Amino acid sequence: MNMKKIIHGMMSTMNSVKPPRMTALRELHEAETGNFSILIGTILSARTKDETTTKAVKMLFSKYKTPKELANAKVKDIEKIIRSIGFYHVKSKRIIEVSKIIDSKYNGIVPDSLDELIQLPGVGRKTANCVLVYAFDKPAIPVDIHVHRISNRLGLVNTQSPEETELELMKKIPKKYWIKINDTFVMYGQNICKPINPMCNVCKIKKNCKYYTENNI
């Protein structure tokens, strides 16, 4: 299946139904808030709605402007700011730990390699890949629940875990499309190809979708 057609079909479908709002990470990218805020925003975004993440990041960085300032913050003060975020107790400690490392080891500059990013506390492959894509415009495929679900529904992959999905997509999809996959698939998963009752009736790529074919014979 042609990835250019998939991405175009998804965007065309969404725009014909209701133009989707940008994802939280795309908003941070477009706002040019800086690589550090994208790293912190990515950590905060896990299991949290985009709107909630966006508000929390804005509030956090209105008070703490640099890695050094955030590294020296008190956990209870961070908790007050990001209380609306899922798992805010853990994430408050996590972002302070990460800030200390960015400040002391990297002189306040976020590293731009996967190997270095995944060494940071609480930063797995998905988070690291998000930072590469949204902070540095580097080709990577961050796989969350939406990317994993849709890739399997379309028949692009046949995998059991996001980690497997990432590796399979990297093998099958030309690198020039990697940067667009997360943003497009996440918006599509939130708006059209939902976990329950996907809107197959409006989907413009359903003729090439394994899930649709199998469920509408």
Side-chain angles (χ1 to χ4, degrees):
M1 198 170 176
N2 186 296
M3 185 50 58
K4 184 177 180 180
K5 288 183 178 179
I6 291 175
I7 292 173
H8 177 75
M10 286 181 176
M11 293 306 301
S12 178
T13 300
M14 288 187 283
N15 286 324
S16 67
V17 176
K18 179 185 176 184
R21 65 183 297 281
M22 284 190 286
T23 60
L25 297 181
R26 177 55 59 186
E27 278 192 48
L28 287 172
H29 175 86
E30 296 294 329
E32 298 183 354
T33 54
N35 299 340
F36 180 61
S37 70
I38 291 176
L39 169 61
I40 298 301
T42 306
I43 294 171
L44 294 179
S45 70
R47 300 187 188 183
T48 303
K49 290 183 178 180
D50 279 355
E51 310 92 89
T52 306
T53 300
T54 301
K55 289 178 183 176
V57 173
K58 286 180 180 177
M59 288 171 63
L60 187 66
F61 281 90
S62 67
K63 182 170 183 179
Y64 303 99
K65 309 292 186 185
T66 65
K68 184 180 287 295
E69 289 181 10
L70 198 47
N72 292 321
K74 294 179 180 179
V75 174
K76 63 179 182 179
D77 291 334
I78 301 300
E79 287 180 344
K80 288 178 184 176
I81 295 173
I82 68 165
R83 189 175 293 273
S84 60
I85 291 280
F87 304 96
Y88 72 94
H89 288 299
V90 175
K91 290 179 182 178
S92 294
K93 295 174 184 175
R94 188 70 38 79
I95 62 177
I96 289 176
E97 289 174 16
V98 168
S99 299
K100 286 179 177 175
I101 295 172
I102 297 297
D103 178 51
S104 61
K105 185 176 179 179
Y106 296 103
N107 298 313
I109 298 172
V110 178
D112 63 351
S113 76
L114 180 69
D115 291 340
E116 288 179 295
L117 286 167
I118 59 176
Q119 297 302 316
L120 296 171
V123 175
R125 286 190 67 91
K126 188 198 84 172
T127 298
N129 282 329
C130 280
V131 174
L132 292 177
V133 168
Y134 294 101
F136 297 104
D137 286 315
K138 283 194 166 190
I141 305 178
V143 177
D144 69 348
I145 53 171
H146 298 296
V147 178
H148 177 61
R149 178 178 71 254
I150 293 172
S151 296
N152 276 278
R153 279 183 175 174
L154 285 173
L156 289 171
V157 299
N158 181 18
T159 54
Q160 299 301 314
S161 70
E163 291 76 20
E164 287 181 68
T165 299
E166 180 195 345
L167 296 176
E168 285 301 305
L169 290 177
M170 287 171 70
K171 290 178 191 174
K172 296 179 178 180
I173 296 174
K175 216 169 188 176
K176 64 181 178 179
Y177 297 115
W178 289 10
I179 282 181
K180 292 183 178 180
I181 289 174
N182 181 266
D183 198 51
T184 308
F185 279 43
V186 169
M187 286 192 295
Y188 208 66
Q190 291 173 341
N191 294 278
I192 306 295
C193 196
K194 300 175 183 180
I196 301 172
N197 298 323
M199 299 166 64
C200 297
N201 58 314
V202 300
C203 178
K204 296 187 178 182
I205 56 174
K206 63 187 175 189
K207 289 182 180 179
N208 296 302
C209 175
K210 179 184 174 186
Y211 174 89
Y212 180 78
T213 301
E214 289 178 348
N215 287 277
N216 291 274
I217 297 173

